[in-house]
Amino acid sequence: MTKSTRSGDKIFQENTYLCEKFKLVIMMKYLFPFIAVLALFACSSNPEGELPSALARVNVKCEVFGYSIEDIGKVASAKSKSRGISLAAGNLTKLNFTVFDENGKVVYSEYQTSSSENFGKITSDLRLGNYTLVAVARNGMADGQFNIKSPTEAASTINRIFDTFCATQSVSITSDNEHNVTMDLDRAVCLFTLRQTKAIPDTVKSIKFYFNTQHTVKELPDFNPTTKVALGNYQISREASLVNHEPQDLNFYAFLPANSTTVNIKVEALDESGNVVISHDFNNVTMQICQRTIASGDMFSGSFGASFTVNTDWLPDVIIPF
């Protein structure tokens, strides 16, 4: 081997060494930081690889919208439109509140009574996203809640209907800033009032209502908190004990399967043993959500005529003389 050949081999080896060293420098400069980032994610406390979502504080205030309240016996009835009436001022005593995420999953729920601190006000921490809030409130002291299954379906846990208000509202949480939401609840029921204009005989101890007597299903159906209609037809009854025998209003609330429909109503006066003293049928009575229909007259006069009036604030009263 000549001297020139050995010299060329040496130069080649030196060049090869420099190339390998240059590659190593490049790897250290660019590849190692990338590996470090991968290692950081591998050691993350989030095993599913999801970036943690920020939480936002959401404050919800539930109010009765569209009605100022005055007492008619024990019934809250609206006489003029206004905004921002608290649940307590509206004579409401129970509140069910539920939050659904965009997949329909319940992410928060709360039940309050009028004895709860801050009745009608709810605070919850929600992740960023889109939600539907559902609130259902009612009056009455009897125990029993609404099981809110979805924004379009809620079920009462007792087989009795009270003055009921509800609302659904969509909310988008786009930052971790505090969000304040006001929900305006609208009335979801109709009201039938028996207005007895003269004294009631002492032998009568209670008045019993039968609502929707043209239907045989006696189980209270679910109702839609968004549209406020019952999810099916049904028959329901309620017996009201008399506190006194003076002229008075006796009230019966009901959900309707449409905003307006006709129903058959039977009213019985019962003695102490539950025997019927006298009864009267009101057939094909037009009822409407948020409307009170009044049957007015003397049930015990022997001639029981009928005249109806309508109230729209509660929508105007519909009166049926009898």
Side-chain angles (χ1 to χ4, degrees), residues 96-256:
N96 283 96
F97 175 80
T98 303
V99 181
F100 295 90
D101 67 14
E102 55 193 340
N103 297 314
K105 179 183 177 182
V106 174
V107 295
Y108 184 82
S109 64
E110 186 171 333
Y111 172 64
Q112 295 182 349
T113 68
S114 53
S115 61
S116 303
E117 187 177 0
N118 296 321
F119 178 50
K121 296 179 181 179
I122 299 104
T123 298
S124 174
D125 293 326
L126 299 177
R127 297 189 182 278
L128 306 190
N130 299 315
Y131 299 93
T132 301
L133 316 181
V134 185
V136 181
R138 68 166 176 87
N139 71 354
M141 299 312 297
D143 290 335
Q145 302 184 34
F146 281 97
N147 175 16
I148 302 175
K149 304 175 183 179
S150 77
T152 58
E153 187 174 4
S156 175
T157 58
I158 55 175
N159 200 41
R160 181 178 169 186
I161 303 170
F162 298 86
D163 196 5
T164 305
F165 291 73
C166 62
T168 60
Q169 188 164 327
S170 298
V171 174
S172 292
I173 308 300
T174 57
S175 72
D176 59 1
N177 295 332
E178 191 168 31
H179 291 63
N180 295 310
V181 179
T182 298
M183 296 186 71
D184 297 321
L185 278 61
D186 288 318
R187 187 173 262 119
V189 293
C190 65
L191 172 63
F192 179 80
T193 297
L194 177 68
R195 178 164 291 168
Q196 174 62 27
T197 57
K198 294 186 178 180
I200 300 171
D202 291 341
T203 54
V204 176
K205 300 302 180 184
S206 63
I207 302 292
K208 190 167 186 177
F209 296 89
Y210 298 87
F211 189 85
N212 266 349
T213 56
Q214 70 271 35
H215 297 294
T216 56
V217 176
K218 295 186 178 181
E219 183 177 344
L220 187 64
D222 296 354
F223 89 103
N224 185 327
T226 301
T227 63
K228 302 171 181 59
V229 300
L231 301 178
N233 288 303
Y234 65 100
Q235 179 187 141
I236 191 170
S237 62
R238 178 186 169 231
E239 186 174 343
S241 298
L242 297 176
V243 177
N244 58 63
H245 291 79
E246 299 172 359
Q248 58 190 277
D249 285 358
L250 295 159
N251 302 292
F252 185 92
Y253 294 99
F255 291 112
L256 296 178

Side-chain angles (χ1 to χ4, degrees), residues 24-40:
L24 182 61
V25 170
I26 294 297
M27 288 177 62
M28 292 178 66
K29 184 174 182 180
Y30 295 103
L31 185 58
F32 284 5
F34 178 70
I35 293 173
V37 170
L38 291 179
L40 179 64

Side-chain angles (χ1 to χ4, degrees), residues 3-41:
K3 183 177 180 180
S4 61
T5 302
R6 287 197 303 270
S7 176
D9 289 343
K10 184 176 181 181
I11 291 171
F12 175 78
Q13 290 172 359
E14 289 174 352
N15 288 340
T16 302
Y17 172 77
L18 290 174
C19 286
E20 293 299 327
K21 188 173 182 181
F22 179 75
K23 289 180 183 179
L24 182 61
V25 170
I26 294 297
M27 288 177 62
M28 292 178 66
K29 184 174 182 180
Y30 295 103
L31 185 58
F32 284 5
F34 178 70
I35 293 173
V37 170
L38 291 179
L40 179 64
F41 276 99

